[in-house]
């Protein structure tokens, strides 16, 4: 998949997650931060997977 | 791609989690201090408090208990962070499951065992307590997770009372047995609620919300007190007759709005719901009644006038005690500004009481359960079937497999 397409699909799918500001992160509880990092992990994984596929 | 930016955000969130771990550990430590009788001392930091414990808590058993709690909390929280750091999925539910497995399930078992014991004691004559109690006692002592929550003295007390009861099988002894179980159930309920609080993780994000709520209640109470003073002043100034009645009405309405009255109202409503099917009329709280002790007297009079048998009366008092104790404990926690999980805890306790009630009613109707089934069913969650149906199925399976153990 093209990089732009991936980026767009991530921005659509994780709209709420990406709207979170740094100030909001600082106010998160353990559990909220936990869920947030989990979502970021999914995003990072998708991007890294796409880069690997492109390299291949 | 914005990979770098996402990684930076992740690092920031992980840093926040690290600060929250400190907060959770501090909550745990405060909880530990409170439970061990040091609740009146406050500390500037976790390190200060820990140092104080090391220097001042001379009982090595208590100190070991603190280190074990600290280690367990660390293990769970750091484990989650490590998982996340390396990208594995550690959803909130997974976190909750981990924590529940470590703390809540063993705690719930203890509460349940105490409640079952109490309930069985009140049902003792009908179901043949001899075998059930012996089995239950063995079950309780064979749950390794619970041993640390039951001190030797309590266990010994239960055993002695059981033996005494088994020897006599008399009504008077049954009452004595029930009386000794109630304080025990209270103690265990507190321990379980305390454990839920120790976890902290559930409540920590609700802490601010509860403190805010508490402040609202406090302000409301202050307003009412001021209003009350004004009313008193008016009475002193000689306002009488209709005006006085109006003031009296206002005062009663104000009294009903206080936190204490609402708390009592909640307990009594729950008690009414619990004994609705048992056709026991639970009285309302008289307007002038200001404490549960006073209400207890009213309840006793009412039950006597309804000719409720003593065994059944003990059952009502036991359930009342469980509710009262749980709520008082949680309110004391809230007053201290601790994280509150009142609703969740109450829901759990209510659920357990209902399950036990269904099973006990079945037993009274002649259905036979082995204690193994009883405990298994009462502890089981989310089967999609009602617990009683589950128990029956389980009993049928056991019969088919030839391992049924009759005790009626």
């Amino acid at each position: 998949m093209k990089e732009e397409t991936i980026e767009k699909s991530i921005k659509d799918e994780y709209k709420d997650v990406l709207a979170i500001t740094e100030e909001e992160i600082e106010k998160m509880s353990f559990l909220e931060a936990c869920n947030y990092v989990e979502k970021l992990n999914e995003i990072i994984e998708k991007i890294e997977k796409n880069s690997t596929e492109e390299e291949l | 791609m914005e990979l770098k930016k996402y990684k930076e955000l992740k690092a920031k969130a992980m840093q926040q989690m690290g600060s929250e771990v400190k907060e959770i550990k501090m909550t745990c430590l405060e909880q530990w201090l409170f439970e061990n009788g040091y609740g009146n001392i406050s500390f500037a930091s976790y390190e200060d408090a820990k140092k104080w414990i090391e220097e001042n808590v001379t009982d090595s058993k208590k100190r070991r208990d603190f280190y074990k709690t600290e280690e367990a909390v660390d293990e769970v929280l750091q484990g989650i962070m490590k998982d996340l750091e390396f990208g594995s999925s550690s959803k909130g539910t997974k976190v909750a499951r981990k924590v529940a497995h470590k703390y809540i399930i063993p705690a719930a078992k203890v509460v349940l065992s105490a409640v079952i014991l109490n309930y069985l004691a009140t049902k003792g004559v009908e179901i043949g307590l001899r075998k059930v109690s012996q089995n239950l006692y063995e079950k309780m002592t064979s749950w390794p997770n619970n041993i640390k929550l039951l001190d030797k003295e309590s266990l010994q007390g239960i055993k002695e009372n059981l033996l005494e009861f088994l020897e006599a099988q008399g009504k008077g002894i049954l009452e004595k047995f029930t009386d000794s179980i109630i304080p025990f159930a209270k103690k265990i309920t507190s321990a379980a609620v305390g454990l839920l609080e120790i976890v902290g993780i559930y409540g920590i994000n609700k802490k601010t919300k509860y403190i805010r709520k508490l402040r609202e209640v406090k302000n409301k109470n202050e307003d009412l007190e001021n209003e009350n003073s004004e009313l008193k002043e008016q009475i002193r100034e000689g306002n009488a007759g209709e005006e006085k009645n109006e003031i009296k009405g206002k005062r009663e309405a104000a009294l009903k709005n206080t936190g204490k009255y609402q708390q009592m109202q909640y307990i009594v409503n729950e008690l009414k719901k619990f004994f609705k099917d048992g056709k026991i009329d639970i009285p309302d709280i008289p307007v002038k009644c200001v404490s549960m002790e006073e209400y207890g007297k009213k309840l006793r009079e009412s039950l006597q006038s309804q000719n409720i048998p003593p065994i059944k009366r003990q059952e009502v008092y036991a359930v009342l005690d469980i509710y009262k104790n749980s709520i008082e404990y949680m309110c004391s926690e809230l007053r201290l500004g601790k994280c509150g999980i009142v609703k969740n805890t109450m829901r759990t306790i209510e659920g357990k009481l209902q399950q036990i009630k269904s099973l006990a009613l079945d037993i009274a109707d002649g259905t036979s359960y082995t204690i193994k089934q009883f405990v298994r069913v009462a502890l089981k969650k989310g089967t999609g079937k009602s617990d009683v149906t589950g128990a029956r199925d389980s009993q049928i399976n056991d019969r088919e497999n030839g391992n049924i153990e009759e005790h009626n």
Side-chain angles (χ1 to χ4, degrees):
Chain A
M1 214 186 285
K2 276 187 174 178
E3 198 174 293
E4 295 77 29
T5 327
I6 276 282
E7 199 166 346
K8 193 178 176 304
S9 81
I10 285 174
K11 280 188 177 162
D12 287 344
E13 193 182 340
Y14 296 95
K15 201 164 58 186
D16 296 341
V17 181
L18 299 176
I20 293 169
T21 62
E22 292 201 15
E23 287 75 29
E24 283 170 325
I25 295 175
E26 283 166 18
K27 287 177 193 160
M28 279 178 181
S29 72
F30 185 87
L31 211 54
E32 283 165 343
C34 192
N35 286 329
Y36 177 67
V37 174
E38 217 250 333
K39 291 282 175 203
L40 286 175
N41 276 345
E42 282 175 19
I43 297 174
I44 293 167
E45 196 188 347
K46 278 187 182 178
I47 296 172
E48 285 179 340
K49 199 178 160 197
N50 188 55
S51 319
T52 320
E53 278 168 7
E54 277 180 7
E55 275 171 26
L56 287 171
Chain B
M1 271 299 177
E2 300 182 81
L3 188 61
K4 197 180 160 208
K5 185 185 145 199
Y6 298 140
K7 285 191 174 172
E8 278 169 10
L9 285 172
K10 179 179 165 179
K12 191 155 185 69
M14 295 289 296
Q15 199 184 342
Q16 174 62 15
M17 283 173 82
S19 336
E20 283 293 301
V21 169
K22 279 187 196 160
E23 180 81 10
I24 292 170
K25 282 179 73 177
M26 190 68 195
T27 310
C28 296
L29 189 137
E30 283 171 352
Q31 177 68 33
W32 186 91
L33 288 168
F34 177 73
E35 281 179 0
N36 286 282
Y38 310 114
N40 51 345
I41 312 167
S42 58
F43 298 97
S45 70
Y46 184 83
E47 285 69 29
D48 283 357
K50 205 175 156 183
K51 201 175 162 204
W52 185 89
I53 291 172
E54 277 159 17
E55 287 168 2
N56 295 285
V57 179
T58 46
D59 183 342
S60 59
K61 201 179 152 199
K62 273 190 181 180
R63 269 208 316 269
R64 258 203 315 278
D65 174 57
F66 168 73
Y67 292 131
K68 268 169 83 178
T69 311
E70 189 192 29
E71 200 185 331
V73 173
D74 258 343
E75 195 188 311
V76 174
L77 300 180
Q78 300 295 349
I80 293 164
M81 286 182 71
K82 212 170 176 182
D83 278 359
L84 284 168
E85 199 180 341
F86 292 107
S88 78
S89 163
S90 200
K91 282 182 192 296
T93 47
K94 197 175 162 191
V95 176
R97 211 178 306 127
K98 273 190 181 181
V99 176
H101 184 72
K102 249 186 167 357
Y103 300 97
I104 296 171
I105 294 168
K109 276 184 187 172
V110 178
V111 174
L112 192 62
S113 57
V115 178
I116 291 175
L117 253 184
N118 185 42
Y119 210 95
L120 289 182
T122 59
K123 290 274 172 192
V125 177
E126 293 100 320
I127 60 168
L129 192 62
R130 181 183 290 271
K131 197 163 186 177
V132 174
S133 303
Q134 277 172 338
N135 282 344
L136 186 61
Y137 176 72
E138 282 162 19
K139 271 274 167 256
M140 283 174 71
T141 49
S142 65
W143 282 334
N145 281 336
N146 296 342
I147 295 292
K148 60 184 175 190
L149 292 171
L150 304 171
D151 58 64
K152 276 184 189 161
E153 209 179 307
S154 308
L155 280 174
Q156 191 57 31
I158 292 175
K159 195 176 176 184
E160 279 168 12
N161 277 300
L162 275 175
L163 292 174
E164 201 178 336
F165 170 71
L166 295 173
E167 278 166 21
Q169 287 279 22
K171 203 170 162 187
I173 300 291
L174 178 68
E175 278 175 3
K176 195 176 167 193
F177 171 65
T178 315
D179 281 348
S180 67
I181 288 298
I182 295 169
F184 172 70
K186 283 165 80 170
K187 191 175 169 188
I188 296 293
T189 312
S190 294
V193 175
L195 270 174
L196 290 165
E197 291 288 340
I198 281 177
V199 174
I201 197 164
Y202 284 117
I204 207 94
N205 55 348
K206 291 181 187 160
K207 192 173 175 178
T208 327
K209 189 177 141 198
Y210 277 107
I211 292 173
R212 203 182 302 132
K213 182 83 192 154
L214 201 68
R215 276 199 200 114
E216 276 172 24
V217 174
K218 193 172 164 269
N219 291 341
K220 201 173 169 188
N221 278 345
E222 276 171 8
D223 288 347
L224 286 169
E225 267 171 34
N226 292 338
E227 196 182 335
N228 207 14
S229 310
E230 279 173 29
L231 293 175
K232 276 182 188 164
E233 187 66 28
Q234 284 184 39
I235 293 171
R236 262 200 301 275
E237 281 170 7
N239 293 330
E242 279 177 25
E243 205 173 341
K244 196 175 171 184
N245 283 338
E246 192 192 329
I247 290 165
K248 199 180 157 199
K250 266 191 178 179
R251 190 177 177 276
E252 284 178 0
L255 201 62
K256 280 187 177 176
N257 272 328
T258 60
K260 182 81 184 165
Y261 191 89
Q262 282 171 358
Q263 203 186 95
M264 283 163 56
Q265 191 68 61
Y266 177 83
I267 299 171
V268 173
N269 285 345
E270 291 307 310
L271 200 64
K272 282 184 177 187
K273 270 192 254 166
F274 196 84
F275 287 102
K276 206 171 124 192
D277 300 335
K279 291 177 184 153
I280 297 178
D281 185 20
I282 305 289
D284 288 325
I285 308 172
V287 175
K288 285 179 185 171
C289 175
V290 288
S291 70
M292 280 315 285
E293 283 68 32
E294 250 182 73
Y295 178 75
K297 282 180 203 160
K298 167 93 184 163
L299 179 66
R300 202 164 297 129
E301 283 167 18
S302 168
L303 295 179
Q304 273 167 359
S305 69
Q306 291 176 61
N307 286 329
I308 307 288
I311 292 176
K312 198 76 191 164
R313 269 185 262 156
Q314 287 296 335
E315 191 181 317
V316 178
Y317 303 144
V319 176
L320 176 70
D321 266 337
I322 289 167
Y323 273 113
K324 184 174 147 280
N325 188 59
S326 309
I327 288 186
E328 277 174 1
Y329 185 91
M330 284 182 279
C331 287
S332 71
E333 288 297 283
L334 285 172
R335 270 194 294 277
L336 290 169
K338 298 277 170 61
C339 33
I341 38 166
V342 184
K343 274 190 181 169
N344 287 348
T345 314
M346 285 319 295
R347 214 174 290 135
T348 312
I349 294 173
E350 278 164 28
K352 297 297 172 204
L353 285 171
Q354 284 304 331
Q355 286 170 356
I356 291 160
K357 192 181 174 190
S358 311
L359 290 169
L361 284 173
D362 264 18
I363 291 169
D365 289 345
T367 313
S368 165
Y369 293 112
T370 61
I371 191 63
K372 195 175 164 191
Q373 288 167 328
F374 193 100
V375 175
R376 193 199 305 146
V377 172
L379 288 174
K380 198 160 62 179
K381 288 201 295 188
T383 56
K385 290 176 180 179
S386 82
D387 290 297
V388 176
T389 317
R392 284 184 190 130
D393 288 356
S394 161
Q395 193 181 24
I396 292 164
N397 287 339
D398 279 352
R399 278 217 178 89
E400 282 169 0
N401 296 332
N403 54 3
I404 189 86
E405 189 188 349
E406 296 288 356
H407 60 78
N408 268 359

